Amino acid sequence: MIPVNSVLQVGQFPEVMQTAIDQRITPVRYPDLSSNIPPGSYESILIRSNTQLPVELLEKLPLLKMVATCGVGYDNLPLDYLKAKGIKASNTPGVLNDAVCELAVGMLFGLLRRIPQAHEFVKSAAWSKGLFTVTTTLAGKCVGIAGMGRIGQDLAKRLEAFKVKIAYTGPSRKEVPYEYFPDIRSLAKASDVLFLACPATPETEKMVNAEVLSALDSKGYLINIARGSVVDEAALLVALQQNIIAGAALDVFENEPNPNIGFLNLDNVLLTPHIGSATSETRQLMTNLAIDNLEAFYNKKSLLTEVKN
Ligand code: NAP
C-alpha cells in the first residue's frame, strides 16, 4: 500500500501514463521544476527518464528514500548523490524492448528506402514530373550494433529475418551467434549500418566521433536509438554535410527537445523526437513497472528492477 501524497511525481507525463498512475496511486504532481515544490513529506519520487533529477531538489526532501524512473536509461539520475544518501533507485528494463526495436526497424527502412522523402514526393505531386530516386537494399549488408544488451539482442533477432550479417561491440562478449569487434571503430569499418543501443555513460560519451564516422564511410548509415551523448554531433553534422557517411536516423539528441538546427536542413537524415518507447501499450507497462517498484519499496520488499550503482 502506497500512502496518499507520499510520492512526488516530478516532470511532465503523457496522458496515458498519468491515467495508469492515477489508477494505482495518489502522488503529488510537480510538473514544472522551475516552480516551488508543493509542500509535503515525500518518501519517494516518480519521474521519467527524459527529466533530469536535480540534486538541489533532492536536498530539499530529507525523508526521500526511493526514486522510480520510467525508462531503462537512468542517466537522468544523480547516482553518486543517491548512493551517498542511501536512496534506492529503480528503472523499467525489458518492457520497452518491443517498441524500441519496432521503431529502430522502421527508422532503418525509412532511411535506406527514403520513405519520408517518397511520401513527400507523392504528396507534392512531384511524381507527375519525374521518377523518384533509386535507393538502397538492406539484404546482404552487415549491420553493426554497439550495445548487445536487452534492446541490442532483441533488435538483432528481428534483423536476422532481413538476410543481413550481424556484428556487435561492447565491453563484454555475449552468448550470441554474431561476430564480436573489440571497439566501435573496427565495428564501424565492417558495418554498412551502425546501430547505437548502449547506455549514456562517461565511457560512451561522444564515442561515435569523426574517426568512427570516417570508418563507417560514404556508403554507411548511422542509427541512434541510444542517447544523444553517445554521438559527437558536431562531427556527425560535418560527416552528413560532406557525405562522409551516407545518412543518419536519429531518435535522440544532445539537446532535447531543441536539437542542433544543422540537422533540420539536411536531406540525408531521418529525425524522430525521442519516441523509442512511445506507444500506449509500452508506456502503460513502463508506468506499471515503476509503480510495482514503488510498491515493493513501501512494502519493504526487494525492488523488482533496482538500479545498482
Ligand atoms: P542494457 O540491457 O543494459 O544493454 C546495454 C548494452 O550496452 C550492454 O550490453 C552493455 O554491455 C553495452 N555497453 C556498455 N558500454 C558500452 C560501450 N562503451 N560500447 C558499446 N556497448 C556498451 O540496456 P538496454 O535495455 O538494452 O537499453 C540500452 C539503452 O537504450 C538505454 O540505456 C537507453 O539509453 C537507450 N534507450 C533509448 C530509448 C529511446 O527512446 N530511444 C528507449 C529505451 C532505451 P555490457 O553488458 O558488456 O556491459
Side-chain angles (χ1 to χ4, degrees):
M1 186 66 188
I2 301 180
V4 169
N5 297 343
S6 168
V7 181
L8 185 65
Q9 183 190 325
V10 175
Q12 306 275 347
F13 282 66
E15 198 181 332
V16 63
M17 297 180 90
Q18 194 61 53
T19 304
I21 293 167
D22 295 341
Q23 279 167 357
R24 293 186 59 188
I25 61 173
T26 309
V28 173
R29 285 161 74 168
Y30 180 40
D32 176 7
L33 273 71
S34 63
S35 62
N36 290 330
I37 308 170
S41 353
Y42 306 108
E43 285 184 87
S44 66
I45 282 178
L46 179 62
I47 193 165
R48 295 181 57 214
S49 59
N50 67 343
T51 304
Q52 288 296 323
L53 183 56
V55 168
E56 303 78 65
L57 169 61
L58 300 177
E59 283 169 341
K60 291 176 188 153
L61 304 173
L63 300 181
L64 192 77
K65 286 280 169 287
M66 161 79 186
V67 176
T69 189
C70 293
V72 63
Y74 44 82
D75 42 294
N76 61 322
L77 305 182
L79 291 181
D80 290 346
Y81 181 92
L82 297 181
K83 189 175 183 181
K85 296 286 178 186
I87 299 170
K88 286 179 182 296
S90 66
N91 63 345
T92 63
V95 294
L96 38 64
N97 292 10
D98 288 338
V100 176
C101 292
E102 287 168 8
L103 181 77
V105 171
M107 294 176 88
L108 171 63
F109 287 111
L111 184 64
L112 267 62
R113 301 301 299 268
R114 296 177 65 80
I115 295 172
Q117 291 89 343
H119 174 79
E120 200 46 47
F121 189 78
V122 176
K123 279 185 79 174
S124 68
W127 193 11
S128 62
K129 299 179 198 110
L131 299 174
F132 189 66
T133 180
V134 294
T135 57
T136 304
T137 291
L138 179 67
K141 302 280 181 349
C142 177
V143 178
I145 301 178
M148 192 49 80
R150 286 171 291 243
I151 292 172
Q153 291 188 34
D154 268 17
L155 177 61
K157 280 191 212 117
R158 284 166 168 83
L159 294 173
E160 283 177 11
F162 296 116
K163 304 181 186 171
V164 291
K165 180 185 169 193
I166 296 168
Y168 72 104
T169 191
S172 60
R173 280 176 191 262
K174 306 290 174 195
E175 293 285 321
V176 292
Y178 314 123
E179 187 175 357
Y180 176 75
F181 285 81
D183 59 81
I184 182 97
R185 194 186 163 282
S186 57
L187 178 69
K189 196 164 172 49
S191 302
D192 300 291
V193 178
L194 178 62
F195 276 98
L196 306 179
C198 54
T201 62
E203 291 75 34
T204 61
E205 189 166 353
K206 296 195 190 328
M207 180 170 86
V208 176
N209 55 21
E211 199 190 345
V212 171
L213 293 164
S214 292
L216 190 57
D217 96 24
S218 60
K219 289 199 174 131
Y221 294 88
L222 177 74
I223 303 181
N224 189 1
I225 51 160
R227 285 287 184 267
S229 65
V230 180
V231 175
D232 179 341
E233 284 193 350
L236 176 59
L237 261 176
V238 172
L240 289 164
Q241 284 158 349
Q242 299 182 3
N243 298 316
I244 293 167
I245 66 168
L250 308 172
D251 184 48
V252 285
F253 302 85
E254 262 173 24
N255 188 20
E256 298 179 7
N258 300 299
N260 188 321
I261 54 166
F263 290 119
L264 312 186
N265 301 319
L266 293 169
D267 184 48
N268 51 356
V269 294
L270 191 160
L271 310 174
T272 52
H274 199 153
I275 52 168
S277 66
T279 69
S280 58
E281 295 87 347
T282 296
R283 287 288 165 84
Q284 283 175 51
L285 292 171
M286 292 162 68
T287 309
N288 279 323
L289 180 51
I291 296 173
D292 290 344
N293 274 294
L294 287 172
E295 254 172 21
F297 162 74
Y298 281 99
N299 290 333
K300 300 191 176 4
K301 294 193 174 140
S302 302
L303 302 188
L304 282 79
T305 48
E306 182 168 0
V307 172
K308 308 266 190 206
N309 67 0

